[in-house]
Amino acid sequence: MLEITFSESAHGSLRLSKGFVKGERYVFPLMWSIGDISDSTPGQARRDVLHRLCTFDLDECREQIDRQMENAAASYQTLLERAAEGEPVRVWYSGQPDELCGFYWLMAQLNGMPDCPVSAVKLPLFVEHGNDEIVSHTHWGEVLPEERHDFLPLEQPVSPNVRRSAAWHWRELQEENAPLRAEVNGRLASVPEDFYDCFIRAELPQIGEEFLQGSLIGRVMGHSQMGLHDGLLSGRIDAMVQAGELEIIKAASEDWPSHSRRILRRK
């Protein structure tokens, strides 16, 4: 069986899990919810999008992305070959934007392979532990390795009809090629680049007159519980600075040039 995840953290959790049938594990950390998706292969266009999300240690970050992209490109070719030969595929995804887009993208790649059995395990919003404890996970990277086996009863087959429907919807999203994609009213939809700005503005009254950009990003990521990428939020804060909604009081130091170290204030 080919096990598919859509982030390095989810891949690591699965790799350390016990009780699974031995199989190949492939990770596609491609963040299809952000940027240009006109090219659905793990190639240069996707690499450029991921490079733009780097906010600190730029050289190291880009080198890491390059390695991930090389691995994803090789895994992509192997996946298609083995799926065409009829090897079963199991997909781990959630409602988090990148994982949800990953599911639609993968179904589009496997569409037209009737001999390849496909199943999926979608992460539930809430998990009960005992009688009085409820845990909420945003994406599979938050699930502990020892908990993975508990989710196997949720595995469901993905029929060829569902694959065709997902492939059609992914092509529709590609034609729209919006800046972002998100789940809206239970449906994966194209959304504008300022879609998440409301979550940033909601934190401004609570954070104080002057604040670290990284603190604002951390609050948005923690309170929104949507698994948003810090590079995406950093770009939107830059747009607010350019629009005059926020002002830079102190730039980041040269020895730590990350935008997260900037001090900002509301205007």
Side-chain angles (χ1 to χ4, degrees):
M1 176 173 284
L2 310 179
E3 306 274 6
I4 309 299
T5 54
F6 300 107
S7 73
E8 294 291 347
S9 57
H11 177 69
S13 172
L14 182 62
R15 182 174 54 83
L16 296 174
S17 300
K18 298 179 180 180
F20 289 90
V21 175
K22 294 296 183 180
E24 297 292 334
R25 300 176 179 88
Y26 296 118
V27 56
F28 296 99
L30 302 174
M31 299 186 204
W32 290 114
S33 73
I34 302 173
D36 183 3
I37 59 169
S38 57
D39 183 357
S40 267
T41 61
Q44 188 60 46
R46 182 80 330 220
R47 188 190 303 251
D48 291 342
V49 170
L50 300 184
H51 278 179
R52 288 196 294 273
L53 293 173
C54 293
T55 58
F56 62 94
D57 294 332
L58 296 184
D59 291 339
E60 181 178 345
C61 177
R62 288 169 179 164
E63 289 175 3
Q64 180 181 7
I65 288 171
D66 289 343
R67 289 194 299 270
Q68 291 175 351
M69 288 299 300
E70 291 171 3
N71 292 335
S75 297
Y76 178 71
Q77 293 301 322
T78 302
L79 170 67
L80 295 183
E81 293 170 3
R82 296 179 66 171
E85 295 171 354
E87 189 154 355
V89 172
R90 179 161 57 198
V91 191
W92 301 81
Y93 79 106
S94 68
Q96 190 267 349
D98 291 324
E99 292 192 337
L100 187 59
C101 282
F103 174 78
Y104 276 83
W105 166 77
L106 184 63
M107 293 304 101
Q109 311 314 304
L110 299 179
N111 185 40
M113 296 185 183
D115 295 331
C116 174
V118 180
S119 62
V121 185
K122 186 175 182 181
L123 184 67
L125 289 176
F126 300 101
V127 178
E128 293 188 57
H129 292 281
N131 296 323
D132 55 1
E133 182 182 1
I134 295 179
V135 177
S136 176
H137 297 295
T138 303
H139 53 82
W140 280 108
E142 295 179 346
V143 177
L144 296 175
E146 57 267 27
E147 296 176 333
R148 280 274 185 168
H149 195 271
D150 297 337
F151 293 93
L152 279 179
L154 301 178
E155 182 179 3
Q156 296 288 331
V158 180
S159 69
N161 284 335
V162 170
R163 278 183 259 178
R164 282 193 292 271
S165 177
W168 177 85
H169 189 47
W170 185 252
R171 286 195 296 269
E172 185 179 58
L173 292 170
Q174 283 186 289
E175 291 174 1
E176 295 167 348
N177 206 19
L180 299 171
R181 283 145 293 281
E183 188 175 28
V184 180
N185 296 327
R187 177 180 172 83
L188 185 61
S190 299
V191 296
E193 61 183 353
D194 62 353
F195 182 75
Y196 297 112
D197 287 11
C198 60
F199 296 101
I200 298 175
R201 294 190 178 100
E203 297 298 331
L204 292 176
Q206 285 76 39
I207 200 170
E209 191 65 27
E210 298 183 1
F211 51 88
L212 277 173
Q213 179 166 318
S215 297
L216 176 59
I217 291 173
R219 290 179 64 94
V220 174
M221 293 177 69
H223 292 163
S224 68
Q225 292 294 297
M226 298 177 69
L228 301 178
H229 193 278
D230 61 343
L232 171 63
L233 295 174
S234 181
R236 293 312 306 158
I237 292 172
D238 287 346
M240 290 181 175
V241 170
Q242 293 174 6
E245 190 171 348
L246 297 174
E247 181 181 9
I248 300 174
I249 300 303
K250 183 178 180 182
S253 62
E254 293 183 1
D255 59 339
W256 195 349
S258 168
H259 280 189
S260 66
R261 303 301 301 172
R262 298 191 305 193
I263 298 177
L264 308 175
R265 73 178 175 194
R266 291 174 288 156
K267 295 186 68 174

